[in-house]
Amino acid sequence: MTLDLGALGRTPVLEGELIRLRPLVESDAEAMHEVLADPEVQVLTGSVVSSTGTSPFDLDGLRAWYGSREDQDDRLDLGVEDRASGRLVGEVVLNELDPAAASANIRVLLGPQGRGRGLGTEAMRLTLAHAFERVGLHRVSLHVISHNPRARHVYETLGFVHEGTLRESVVLDGERHDEHVMSLLAHEWSALTAAKGAHPPGR
């Protein structure tokens, strides 16, 4: 499949059974500020060195950041909107694009209102379908911290393969943790979706 980098710049709206992925805008800063303040988000993503219960990001900085997302042509930032409540509960991002290798990194984070109901899994599936089937990426990778086995299990069910371990690469609350590198290739995604007869369901 031909790589279509323009599909990253044309921010899509992706509809699922549980969620709606849509462009992030400046007015989303307040909701994302709350999400980023959640201690579990901070610890599981390794975004801060300790869990403080406050957002590590300045609100004005977040307004500028989310207000500029649609201007980017080398990454894709989408808000995860809970269809049941209409609430923005997190984000999913394709970044670290390498056009020559047709590869990118993926990450997802959800606040307390978005966890435990399969929303993150569906967000990953919708974004992966877009990455492989619309953008034409060959490889999508991610990092997951060793103290987050729940996330690793989800990634494995999506087809991600463990490639290696960055030993004791993350420090949280003064403790060192390993970081696992995982990836999914386009032909693996195609085989998974073909085996299911369609795109994998969101649940």
Side-chain angles (χ1 to χ4, degrees):
M1 180 177 179
T2 303
L3 187 64
D4 180 9
L5 295 181
L8 288 179
R10 297 187 297 272
T11 311
V13 174
L14 306 177
E15 301 280 357
E17 295 179 13
L18 303 175
I19 62 167
R20 178 174 177 260
L21 298 182
R22 48 94 170 158
L24 286 158
V25 295
E26 182 178 349
S27 59
D28 291 322
E30 286 78 7
M32 287 306 302
H33 190 263
E34 181 179 340
V35 168
L36 293 167
D38 177 57
E40 185 169 336
V41 166
Q42 295 181 29
V43 171
L44 293 183
T45 61
S47 60
V48 292
V49 294
S50 64
S51 53
T52 62
T54 59
S55 174
F57 301 100
D58 173 77
L59 186 55
D60 288 336
L62 288 177
R63 290 192 182 100
W65 174 260
Y66 289 116
S68 67
R69 293 306 83 204
E70 288 194 88
D71 298 331
Q72 312 305 308
D73 59 6
D74 63 346
R75 57 183 288 148
L76 179 63
D77 298 77
L78 296 173
V80 180
E81 192 175 274
D82 183 355
R83 293 178 68 94
S85 66
R87 179 172 182 166
L88 181 69
V89 295
E91 66 179 11
V92 59
V93 177
L94 279 174
N95 60 1
E96 300 179 12
L97 176 69
D98 181 345
S103 68
N105 175 77
I106 191 171
R107 64 174 177 81
V108 62
L109 64 85
L110 297 177
Q113 301 298 321
R115 292 198 290 263
R117 293 182 288 125
L119 276 62
T121 302
E122 186 172 78
M124 289 284 290
R125 283 179 170 143
L126 290 171
T127 307
L128 289 168
H130 183 74
F132 289 123
E133 300 168 20
R134 180 65 185 88
V135 181
L137 291 180
H138 173 70
R139 179 178 184 272
V140 175
S141 62
L142 57 82
H143 288 198
V144 58
I145 301 174
S146 58
H147 68 191
N148 193 2
R150 180 179 62 187
R152 176 167 174 170
H153 175 72
V154 169
Y155 301 147
E156 287 173 340
T157 63
L158 289 167
F160 279 85
V161 175
H162 179 239
E163 293 186 330
T165 299
L166 305 176
R167 296 184 302 159
E168 299 186 358
S169 60
V170 175
V171 179
L172 294 170
D173 287 333
E175 295 185 4
R176 293 190 177 275
H177 301 271
D178 294 341
E179 194 172 10
H180 301 302
V181 181
M182 306 180 75
S183 72
L184 179 62
L185 304 180
H187 69 85
E188 295 169 337
W189 174 258
S190 296
L192 284 169
T193 56
K196 294 179 181 296
H199 294 160
R203 303 184 188 189

